[in-house]
Amino acid sequence: MPENLRSQVVTQGVQRSPNRAMLRAVGFQDGDFNKPIVGLANGYSTITPCNMGINSLALRAEQALRDASAMPQMFGTITISDGISMGTEGMKYSLVSREVIADSIETACMGQSMDGVLAIGGCDKNMPGAVIAIARMNIPAVFVYGGTIKPGHLNGKDLTVVSAFEAVGEYSAGKISEQELMEVERHACPGAGSCGGMYTANTMSSAIEAMGLSLPYSSTMAAEDAEKADSAEKSAFVLVDAIRQQILPSQILTRKAFENAMAVIMAVGGSTNSVLHLLAIAHAVGIDLTIDDFETIRAKVPVFCDLKPSGRYVATDLHRAGGIPQVMKMLLANGLLHGDALTVTGQTVEEVLADVLAEPRADQDVIRPFEQPIYAQGHLGILKGNLATEGAVAKLTGIKKRQITGPARVFESEEDCLDAILAKQIQAGDVIIVRYEGPKGGPGMREMLAPTSAIIGAGLGDAVGLITDGRFSGGTYGMVVGHVAPEAAVGGAIALVQEGDSITIDADARLLQLNVSDDELERRRADWTPPEPRYQRGVLAKYAKLVSSSSQGAVTDKAL
């Protein structure tokens, strides 16, 4: 790790006077050169409601850093709104943005030799992007979540952004009028904050809290509530203490921390994207985590939180019911959490949870008693078979039909698939294949919320399977399997599927099988040729050249 700028200035004095002169220009006074320099990675943006409330949090944290006798240096990071780009070519940039965020934070902090970093993010890729950078740099760090959006309301029902996508499917199926569709659109997202269910943003904020890089309760706070800004301020003070004590991310992001995060994700029914992101963070910190580790945790941890997309409640409801500390305490009390894992506060997980009751409150039903879970085992399953020899990811709970064998309906892009669904060309029993949407083939591994929501809206959620080498939104549920690896673009078996082939998805056996003989597959493989890259220049072209398999977290520095 580079020697920090403050120590260079102090020890070399006049030899570093040019550095001091430039720092004076940004506000340093005589007494400030002995203070820790703290990066403040500000994800503020008006691109998306997820990030539009972040600047006020950054300003509150900036003042707190000064009050704690540190010198903050604020810089911006980007974001892409998954919800706005969903179903478009722009969605290809979403996963890419995770790497851009990580690279930008690393570049700013290392380039300016900062002593620590407070990162604030909102939309889905902000969280893993920031934590990947934190893991790479290994300087004291804390993550501040921008906060969740409050639910919209219509006709006595809570709405989220997924409600709008499903309403499109309902409208196309003739179940609701255009006026009803517009009313859902108008009410789904009432203000600032990230998507309100246990979708990817709230899943990752919860995971980061479980790993000890965020303060207790901070991962489920509403973006617009005063406690969110109070938490940002407190995070700044905690970070300065961590700098003085030299509590480093490598001490926090241990194997135990990742297992704690996986346990919490299972308990709350979190997003399939968490598999991809935890693998990437583990790679950044040098922890040997594989997709099979998720299966190990899944078998032990029940789902006991009733949260959207498949459940009834949103993140703000979970917060009122006790938040992630309540979930963690229940896991700890039942031997499913590592209480000795360190947190950024300097306390262990067990110490942080000391005052939390081991049983959920009786006046709520968001968090079920441990002995009365919604599902006895975790919901995120790793499926394997000749169609996904490296593995694929699926939500195994909440589906009525646990096994489906049907004819393949093959599409070379998300757009073609969505057009077929909306044109009512998909029938009950079909198994949809959407390929060449993987990390390299897309490139960028788009999420398939538009097709899956259209399937749900058309009433086919329990009757149709969907398999893709792309991803799914955290708002997706049903008989859907993503992250198929190897992907089509590198010659994975998903590239060899032909229209009408028999495909089996078996949730209980965790099997993903193309029912074609090995000899026939080899014949098809011999005839297959790799497609030309879809992009020859720019960020997507670079990404496609560098990105690893989704089974390895879709990282861009695997072979470097």
Side-chain angles (χ1 to χ4, degrees):
M1 182 177 70
E3 186 181 13
N4 67 64
L5 180 59
R6 175 181 54 79
S7 64
Q8 291 175 354
V9 171
V10 170
T11 58
Q12 301 192 38
V14 70
Q15 296 180 20
R16 291 291 179 180
S17 60
N19 305 70
R20 295 169 66 109
M22 295 193 74
L23 288 171
R24 287 184 188 279
V26 296
F28 277 63
Q29 304 295 319
D30 288 347
D32 294 332
F33 292 102
N34 291 321
K35 297 176 181 177
I37 297 174
V38 179
L40 208 168
N42 181 358
Y44 167 69
S45 169
T46 57
I47 285 175
T48 172
C50 308
N51 291 51
M52 71 180 189
I54 285 177
N55 200 48
S56 61
L57 303 182
L59 293 173
R60 181 79 172 266
E62 181 182 43
Q63 184 57 51
L65 288 169
R66 294 186 189 279
D67 293 342
S69 297
M71 288 304 292
Q73 292 194 310
M74 191 184 298
F75 59 92
T77 66
I78 69 156
T79 195
I80 296 295
S81 173
D82 290 3
I84 296 172
S85 64
M86 198 76 68
T88 74
E89 194 79 356
M91 187 66 199
K92 293 181 177 180
Y93 289 85
S94 170
L95 188 58
V96 177
S97 75
R98 185 189 74 181
E99 309 309 305
V100 176
I101 292 164
D103 292 350
S104 67
I105 294 174
E106 177 189 355
T107 300
C109 290
M110 293 293 94
Q112 297 301 121
S113 304
M114 294 173 182
D115 295 292
V117 63
L118 185 152
I120 310 181
C123 200
D124 292 7
K125 307 311 174 296
N126 297 182
M127 275 75 73
V131 178
I132 288 169
I134 287 166
R136 289 178 189 166
M137 298 184 298
N138 200 32
I139 59 175
V142 67
F143 181 78
V144 175
Y145 180 38
T148 184
I149 196 171
K150 294 180 179 180
H153 301 285
L154 182 65
N155 300 326
K157 294 182 179 180
D158 285 349
L159 299 180
T160 69
V161 66
V162 175
S163 306
F165 281 90
E166 292 180 357
V168 172
E170 292 174 323
Y171 172 70
S172 298
K175 295 183 177 182
I176 61 174
S177 67
E178 183 176 1
Q179 179 61 31
E180 290 172 307
L181 171 62
M182 292 303 297
E183 286 303 303
V184 172
E185 176 191 311
R186 292 184 180 108
H187 291 85
C189 298
S194 299
C195 300
M198 192 47 69
Y199 309 146
T200 302
N202 287 323
T203 298
M204 290 310 301
S205 67
S206 299
I208 294 167
E209 180 179 328
M211 297 172 88
L213 274 178
S214 290
L215 298 194
Y217 299 99
S218 64
S219 66
T220 52
M221 292 175 178
E224 298 178 322
D225 284 354
E227 65 176 346
K228 184 76 259 183
D230 293 342
S231 179
E233 178 182 80
K234 184 177 179 182
S235 296
F237 284 104
V238 167
L239 174 59
V240 175
D241 284 342
I243 292 171
R244 292 182 175 129
Q245 297 178 55
Q246 281 300 286
I247 299 174
L248 302 177
S250 59
Q251 298 169 278
I252 298 171
L253 297 175
T254 62
R255 173 79 188 197
K256 290 181 178 179
F258 282 94
E259 291 182 356
N260 285 351
M262 287 188 284
V264 166
I265 289 166
M266 295 296 175
V268 300
S271 166
T272 53
N273 285 308
S274 62
V275 177
L276 198 71
H277 298 324
L278 287 184
L279 291 172
I281 296 167
H283 168 71
V285 79
I287 298 293
D288 184 20
L289 193 74
T290 72
I291 58 173
D292 295 325
D293 292 317
F294 287 84
E295 264 300 310
T296 301
I297 299 295
R298 185 195 68 81
K300 297 187 292 185
V301 179
V303 180
F304 53 81
C305 295
D306 189 6
L307 298 167
K308 291 179 182 292
S310 57
R312 293 179 293 166
Y313 296 105
V314 295
T316 50
D317 297 318
L318 174 62
H319 188 66
R320 286 190 291 270
I324 295 303
Q326 179 67 77
V327 174
M328 293 178 69
K329 186 59 174 273
M330 292 168 64
L331 291 169
L332 180 66
N334 287 277
L336 295 171
L337 206 72
H338 299 289
D340 58 344
L342 183 67
T343 74
V344 70
T345 66
Q347 297 175 296
T348 64
V349 166
E350 187 169 11
E351 289 169 338
V352 168
L353 301 176
D355 296 331
V356 180
L357 298 177
E359 295 292 331
R361 298 197 320 267
D363 64 348
Q364 58 80 44
D365 59 353
V366 182
I367 305 173
R368 301 273 191 92
F370 188 85
E371 299 78 16
Q372 301 171 34
I374 301 169
Y375 304 106
Q377 292 183 316
H379 65 301
L380 293 182
I382 305 301
L383 277 62
K384 292 187 176 181
N386 68 353
L387 198 50
T389 55
E390 293 179 16
V393 183
K395 288 183 180 178
L396 303 180
T397 55
I399 50 176
K400 296 177 182 178
K401 196 172 183 180
R402 307 283 298 172
Q403 191 266 2
I404 183 172
T405 296
R409 301 297 311 280
V410 181
F411 301 96
E412 310 298 332
S413 72
E414 177 188 5
E415 288 89 349
D416 291 345
C417 173
L418 180 60
D419 288 345
I421 296 168
L422 296 180
K424 302 180 182 179
Q425 295 172 1
I426 301 300
Q427 307 298 320
D430 287 345
V431 179
I432 298 169
I433 300 287
V434 185
R435 62 191 180 191
Y436 295 103
E437 291 285 7
K440 285 185 179 294
M445 208 177 177
R446 285 193 291 184
E447 292 180 355
M448 303 289 142
L449 181 58
T452 57
S453 296
I455 289 170
I456 297 293
L460 294 171
D462 295 313
V464 168
L466 192 153
I467 299 168
T468 182
D469 50 8
R471 298 180 294 129
F472 293 115
S473 162
T476 295
Y477 59 99
M479 182 64 89
V480 295
V481 184
H483 305 205
V484 169
E487 63 174 289
V490 300
I494 191 171
L496 310 179
V497 180
Q498 295 181 359
E499 185 81 10
D501 281 347
S502 173
I503 303 278
T504 295
I505 306 172
D506 191 326
D508 295 322
R510 293 179 296 287
L511 177 68
L512 193 62
Q513 190 76 12
L514 172 58
N515 300 313
V516 171
S517 70
D518 292 342
D519 288 344
E520 173 61 15
L521 279 181
E522 285 306 311
R523 185 191 68 75
R524 293 182 187 181
R525 184 167 282 110
D527 291 338
W528 178 82
T529 55
E532 286 294 315
R534 287 172 167 165
Y535 297 85
Q536 301 294 334
R537 292 182 178 83
V539 64
L540 292 181
K542 290 189 289 185
Y543 183 84
K545 285 182 180 294
L546 292 172
V547 70
S548 73
S549 169
S550 60
S551 66
Q552 299 172 330
V555 298
T556 53
D557 60 350
K558 188 70 177 178
L560 300 181

